[in-house]
């Protein structure tokens, strides 16, 4: 094989039945060079899929990587050779939907390592592939095995803390991208793309396959599938409609330098330099009164007809209650010092 879409080798956790619960890939690769692909496939004896390499295969890979000048990846292999934990090597020949836990975790790593942006890697069916896991202070534990582990931990005098029961762990347990701040790390899932200079405050949330170009301020919710352009601000309690709940299929995105006011919401895409005022939730079916340059009504439209347009200000008329749209005269400006100091 002359090419791979992605390659990852790392250490993971299995349950008592030998099923993978999670895999940590310290240095996932996207489109590795042909010479490296040749080294990997010949050493592991596989061209695609996920395998559990033997000690001999790992040793052969370590030697070949060192010999061919890939010392950084070789150092990772050396650590794995000295470990007694389960090792997974995942070779994805094409960007196809994941069919196993190791493949799913590699795809999520690609996003959080900023190697791909949301919607650039195929994730169809990932919910059916991943297991519901107890994420604890002792790592991932199978739900069915959790009661016994909790009891044993108490007996040993080292009680477990269960952080969440979910299919997705928190991102920072696997990767901490450069130049970011996250006030509550539980609120950013693995598979989030968090761009350089992004600040996520305590109530901010970023789902998997979603994120920010950076720099951005996130004090509200960025749902699955949503990507926010550079300089945009998601205000406190604001929400961007995703594609996971309610059968929604419209992919929502925010352009550059947009502002979602506190407790507002976006159910349509916004172009660049758009604002939705505080407390106003715009859905695709919202009837919007269009205002001209003199702020006079010039017609009505459904918000979906304005999706993706730039330089729009959405507001609610405080007297009539009508939702209005007019030209946005000013774009949001983030605090440069705040975001550059991450």
């Amino acid at each position: 094989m002359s090419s791979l879409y992605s390659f990852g080798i790392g250490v993971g956790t299995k349950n008592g039945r030998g099923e993978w619960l999670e895999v940590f890939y310290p240095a996932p690769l996207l489109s590795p060079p042909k010479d490296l692909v040749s080294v990997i496939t010949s050493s592991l004896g596989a061209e695609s899929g996920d395998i559990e390499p033997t000690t001999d295969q790992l040793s052969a890979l370590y030697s070949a990587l060192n010999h061919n000048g890939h010392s950084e990846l070789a150092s990772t292999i050396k650590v794995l050779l000295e470990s007694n934990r389960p090792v997974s090597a995942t070779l994805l020949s094409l960007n196809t939907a994941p069919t196993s836990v190791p493949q799913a975790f590699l795809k999520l790593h690609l996003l959080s390592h900023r190697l791909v942006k949301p919607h650039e890697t195929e994730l169809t069916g990932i919910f059916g592939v991943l297991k519901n896991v107890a994420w604890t202070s002792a790592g991932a534990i199978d739900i069915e095995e959790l009661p016994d582990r909790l009891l044993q931990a108490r007996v040993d005098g080292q009680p477990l803390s269960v952080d969440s029961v979910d299919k997705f762990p928190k991102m920072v347990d696997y990767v901490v991208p450069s130049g970011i701040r996250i006030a509550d790390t539980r609120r950013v899932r693995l598979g989030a793309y968090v761009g350089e200079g992004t600040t996520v405050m305590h109530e901010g949330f970023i789902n998997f396959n979603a994120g920010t170009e950076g720099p951005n301020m996130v004090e509200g919710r960025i749902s699955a599938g949503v990507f926010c352009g550079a300089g945009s601000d998601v205000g406190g309690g604001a929400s961007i409609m995703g594609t996971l709940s309610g059968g929604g299929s419209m992919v929502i995105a925010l352009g550059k330098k947009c502002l979602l006011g506190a407790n507002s919401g976006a159910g349509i895409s916004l172009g660049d330099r758009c604002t939705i005022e505080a407390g106003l939730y715009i859905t695709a079916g919202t009837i919007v009164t269009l205002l001209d340059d003199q702020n006079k009504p010039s017609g009505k439209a459904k918000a979906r007809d304005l999706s993706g347009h730039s330089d729009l200000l959405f507001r609610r008329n405080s007297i009539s209650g009508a939702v209005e749209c007019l030209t946005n005269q000013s774009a949001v400006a983030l605090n440069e010092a705040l975001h550059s100091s991450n």
Side-chain angles (χ1 to χ4, degrees), residues 138-279:
I141 298 177
D142 189 286
I143 296 298
E144 296 179 6
E145 299 169 3
L146 183 60
D148 289 341
R149 294 286 297 274
L150 288 171
L151 175 59
Q152 188 61 52
R154 293 278 179 173
V155 170
D156 294 340
Q158 298 178 331
L160 286 178
S161 174
V162 180
D163 296 324
S164 66
V165 178
D166 196 2
K167 290 177 178 284
F168 298 82
K170 58 185 180 183
M171 181 187 72
V172 298
D173 284 347
Y174 293 80
V175 55
V176 180
S178 61
I180 66 168
R181 290 195 298 137
I182 303 176
D184 186 345
T185 58
R186 296 172 300 177
R187 299 182 64 83
V188 180
R189 280 171 144 182
L190 180 65
Y193 183 108
V194 187
E196 184 95 19
T198 295
T199 294
V200 185
M201 295 303 292
H202 295 80
E203 296 304 315
F205 172 78
I206 305 179
N207 212 333
F208 79 99
N209 200 30
T212 58
E213 184 178 1
N216 294 83
M217 172 61 77
V218 182
E219 297 181 88
R221 186 173 76 239
I222 301 178
S223 302
V226 174
F227 191 65
C228 299
S232 288
D233 185 332
V234 183
S239 177
I240 308 171
M241 189 178 295
T243 56
L244 292 182
S245 301
S249 59
M250 181 185 294
V251 176
I252 307 299
L254 264 60
K256 300 179 185 297
K257 296 186 177 181
C258 291
L259 171 64
L260 297 188
N263 297 315
S264 68
I268 61 170
S269 290
L270 301 179
D272 298 335
R273 301 172 300 278
C274 290
T275 296
I276 299 180
E277 74 165 13

Side-chain angles (χ1 to χ4, degrees), residues 46-61:
E47 294 188 346
S48 64
D50 42 275
I51 66 171
E52 294 180 53
T54 65
T55 300
D56 288 343
Q57 288 173 321
L58 284 176
S59 296
L61 180 57

Side-chain angles (χ1 to χ4, degrees), residues 114-147:
R114 300 175 183 157
L115 295 174
V116 297
K117 290 182 178 180
H119 303 291
E120 289 183 352
T121 193
E122 179 61 62
L123 295 176
T124 301
I126 193 170
F127 271 88
V129 170
L130 295 177
K131 297 181 181 296
N132 213 22
V133 172
W135 303 98
T136 78
S137 53
I141 298 177
D142 189 286
I143 296 298
E144 296 179 6
E145 299 169 3
L146 183 60

